[in-house]
Amino acid sequence: MPQLRSLIALLLTFSAVAAVASAAPPAPGPPEFLVTGVVYCDTCRAGFETNVSHSLKGATVQIECKHFESQEVHHKAEATTDAWGWYKVEVGEDHQEEICEVALLRSPEADCAEIERSRDRARVPLTRNNGIKQSGIRYANSIAFFRKEPLKNCGEILRKYDLYDDSSENP
Ligand SMILES: *[C@@H]1O[C@H](CO)[C@@H](O)[C@H](O)[C@H]1NC(C)=O
């Protein structure tokens, strides 16, 4: 049995090395993390996505990576959301000991451009030692600009969300 185990270990090591080799990009350089997430308009100023919130195309976010001990800023970049509200930012492998934070910068919609402190940012850990080993993609929580005036039917909508929390009955 020990022999079988070491054979399996050897095979696993070999296939891992092969996988790394075949997945390696043509250009040299360490692999990167891809930080991605959604920017939406919180039309009810609810603090969460509702059925009347919508994703924002052309919103600008800033990503900032700080070393988690020294708090030194190592990486700063801007990104703009695509047609579905998603932004994507590449961050180098050398940012493993950092926490990156995505924050709202500019909204494409004048009536949905309010920034609520603390709700305007999402943190993304970039370490590879947290059990999420394979993929370099890191999903940040959705962040939202607040609509200046909540939509007229927001009261009704939010009440429905409350009902869903309290019981599993139909609304
Ligand atoms: C959102 O949900 C509310 C409550 O369930 C409903 O009355 C409303 O029609 C929905 N709006 C949309 C755009 O789906």
Side-chain angles (χ1 to χ4, degrees), residues 51-52 156-157 160:
N51 69 335
V52 291
E156 180 198 346
I157 288 165
K160 294 261 161 66

Side-chain angles (χ1 to χ4, degrees), residues 83-120:
W84 298 275
W86 287 87
Y87 59 84
K88 295 184 183 72
V89 193
E90 286 190 348
V91 178
E93 180 83 62
D94 54 317
H95 294 274
Q96 281 195 51
E97 301 221 314
E98 297 179 16
I99 290 175
C100 295
E101 198 168 61
V102 182
L104 298 172
L105 268 191
R106 282 183 297 278
S107 171
E109 292 184 11
D111 65 351
C112 192
E114 271 191 31
I115 291 179
E116 284 277 298
R117 288 217 171 264
S118 85
R119 290 207 189 278
D120 66 333

Side-chain angles (χ1 to χ4, degrees), residues 50-53 151 153 156-161 164 171:
T50 68
N51 69 335
V52 291
S53 49
L151 298 175
N153 53 346
E156 180 198 346
I157 288 165
L158 295 181
R159 233 167 273 135
K160 294 261 161 66
Y161 279 92
Y164 278 120

Side-chain angles (χ1 to χ4, degrees), residues 38-45 48-59 81-86 104 107-113 142-149 151 154 157 161:
V38 167
V39 178
Y40 68 98
C41 173
D42 188 345
T43 50
C44 283
R45 306 178 61 91
F48 53 86
E49 289 182 78
T50 68
N51 69 335
V52 291
S53 49
H54 60 266
S55 56
L56 286 173
K57 173 193 177 183
T81 55
D82 66 14
W84 298 275
W86 287 87
L104 298 172
S107 171
E109 292 184 11
D111 65 351
C112 192
S142 300
I143 45 177
F145 285 99
F146 278 41
R147 194 175 195 275
K148 199 174 262 167
E149 295 291 334
L151 298 175
C154 281
I157 288 165
Y161 279 92

